[in-house]
Amino acid sequence: MTFARLPGVEKLEVTSLEVFCSLALDSSVTVAPAVDDVHRSFPLVWSRPLLRYIRDDAGLLLMIPQRLRWMPYKSILNRPRDQTNDSMSPTTSDGASIPNCVPKTRNSGAAYLHAQRLLHPDILAHSLRVYIYARALIKVDISHVNELQPTASFSSQLFPDLSAEFTDLDDLIFATAIFHDFGTCTDHDHAQRFEVCGADAAVQFLSSASFDVDLREIWTAIALHTSRGIAERMGPLTRCLRMGVKADFGDEKWRALLGEGVVERTEREFPRGEIEKVLGNAVAEQGVRVPLKAPRGSWPGDLLRARLDEPEWEGVNKGF
């Protein structure tokens, strides 16, 4: 794909997945993509210095950052839209389709492409399986699961009913699942626990998009997703992410709630690879480099201790 260099465009960089255009201040520019000799114009009104574009098979699909106004002409995109949520499904720049399980919205499509670029393939597949399981488990009746019940009666609801407050619940669950292991990425390997780094990465990415939800819900769910006995009793988003993770790592209690054949079908579509080894090694290696990332009593701490006890072990980390 080639792009015209036009007045007002300070920098134009093309990568395998994304194109970033840094715009001059106070400018209104037109970026004209050349796709199969069919030119379409995208008028943009500047409001942020960085705009993100992701190619689809009809031209370009604009991922709208917060506070950016997009003024499309009818001829810009001819792809059919989902009539229920005005969404569209982009593809990667090499023509590979985004998996059908990904919600067909701009935010989820952008998040998937971002994850595909940064995550290890086994961790990406794990995150998609977790999304499928979490989406199913948030809807199941948990009244008979003792460990999810309050130990005392409450006079009011402790956590919000997300289904009542957020119309695109699938978007919310997907964002939480796809970012929950982003702390393993080199780009987001900072001095704090990998769970917190992943939560911060999610908020950083989603806050630049018009994502209509309190991002604290997503941050909390990701930051607590390894906190056994606590995440299960948090709000529905945190709980369903934890349950989805546990289901993917073989917890029969949560798998039984998914229904017959769900796990088998999901693992055929998104094979497990060596997820336990890949994820365990990634988190343990971070702890070796920066011990503060793996405090005692935490899941990263368990992985670090097992690594230090048997540094020559080449199988799945025994603290997993």
Side-chain angles (χ1 to χ4, degrees):
M1 177 182 288
T2 58
F3 288 81
R5 192 173 185 90
L6 300 172
V9 179
E10 295 180 326
K11 181 180 178 182
L12 192 60
E13 179 183 357
V14 180
T15 67
S16 62
L17 290 178
E18 298 166 324
V19 177
F20 296 92
C21 298
S22 296
L23 303 184
L25 295 178
D26 300 320
S27 66
S28 180
V29 305
T30 299
V31 180
V35 183
D36 297 327
D37 296 322
V38 177
H39 294 262
R40 296 177 175 87
S41 294
F42 290 76
L44 303 172
V45 176
W46 180 89
S47 65
R48 288 175 66 89
L50 188 66
L51 306 180
R52 171 173 292 177
Y53 303 89
I54 296 178
R55 175 186 176 181
D56 79 355
D57 57 14
L60 282 183
L61 176 63
L62 177 62
M63 297 296 138
I64 306 177
Q66 190 177 19
R67 298 186 300 278
L68 174 68
R69 289 186 293 138
W70 182 32
M71 302 172 61
Y73 291 125
K74 291 182 180 179
S75 60
I76 289 178
L77 290 175
N78 296 319
R79 295 189 61 174
R81 293 170 179 249
D82 182 281
Q83 297 302 314
T84 60
N85 60 9
D86 195 38
S87 64
M88 55 189 74
S89 298
T91 63
T92 60
S93 60
D94 60 2
S97 296
I98 290 176
N100 287 332
C101 70
V102 176
K104 293 176 174 57
T105 61
R106 293 186 180 94
N107 285 324
S108 289
Y112 172 79
L113 292 174
H114 186 56
Q116 185 188 54
R117 183 169 64 89
L118 294 180
L119 288 177
H120 186 286
D122 288 352
I123 297 177
L124 177 64
H126 160 66
S127 300
L128 292 170
R129 293 193 302 272
V130 167
Y131 163 64
I132 292 170
Y133 301 152
R135 181 181 59 183
L137 289 168
I138 201 171
K139 301 172 184 177
V140 302
D141 179 13
I142 60 171
S143 61
H144 63 286
V145 183
N146 289 334
E147 68 185 85
L148 301 182
Q149 306 311 310
T151 59
S153 60
F154 302 132
S155 59
S156 61
Q157 187 175 2
L158 189 59
F159 297 108
D161 180 1
L162 293 178
S163 61
E165 294 189 1
F166 192 71
T167 55
D168 292 326
L169 186 58
D170 281 355
D171 250 355
L172 183 60
I173 299 170
F174 182 78
T176 304
I178 203 69
F179 281 102
H180 85 278
D181 281 336
F182 252 66
T184 62
C185 301
T186 301
D187 289 7
H188 297 287
D189 180 9
H190 306 303
Q192 299 181 38
R193 286 176 54 163
F194 98 99
E195 304 96 327
V196 171
C197 291
D200 286 347
V203 170
Q204 179 188 32
F205 182 85
L206 296 170
S207 63
S208 68
S210 52
F211 203 77
D212 186 22
V213 69
D214 187 340
L215 294 175
R216 288 175 296 183
E217 292 283 347
I218 292 174
W219 191 96
T220 300
I222 296 174
L224 293 178
H225 82 268
T226 67
S227 299
R228 52 185 176 268
I230 297 176
E232 289 88 345
R233 282 292 315 281
M234 291 292 292
L237 188 63
T238 306
R239 183 181 68 241
C240 80
L241 177 63
R242 173 68 177 170
M243 292 162 66
V245 170
K246 293 286 286 181
D248 193 47
F249 288 131
D251 192 311
E252 293 299 331
K253 175 169 45 188
W254 306 125
R255 287 189 169 199
L257 295 175
L258 290 170
E260 186 176 355
V262 172
V263 171
E264 291 77 8
R265 290 193 300 272
T266 302
E267 291 190 351
R268 281 197 301 271
E269 185 174 4
F270 305 111
R272 299 192 63 79
E274 295 185 295
I275 180 57
E276 289 84 358
K277 186 175 182 179
V278 169
L279 182 57
N281 286 350
V283 176
E285 287 164 7
Q286 288 184 358
V288 170
R289 294 194 304 272
V290 184
L292 287 175
K293 292 176 69 71
R296 287 183 177 275
S298 68
W299 186 64
D302 293 344
L303 296 172
L304 174 60
R305 185 170 62 251
R307 165 62 67 85
L308 296 178
D309 287 346
E310 298 185 69
E312 303 303 320
W313 177 254
E314 296 182 355
V316 174
N317 186 295
K318 294 183 178 180
F320 199 93

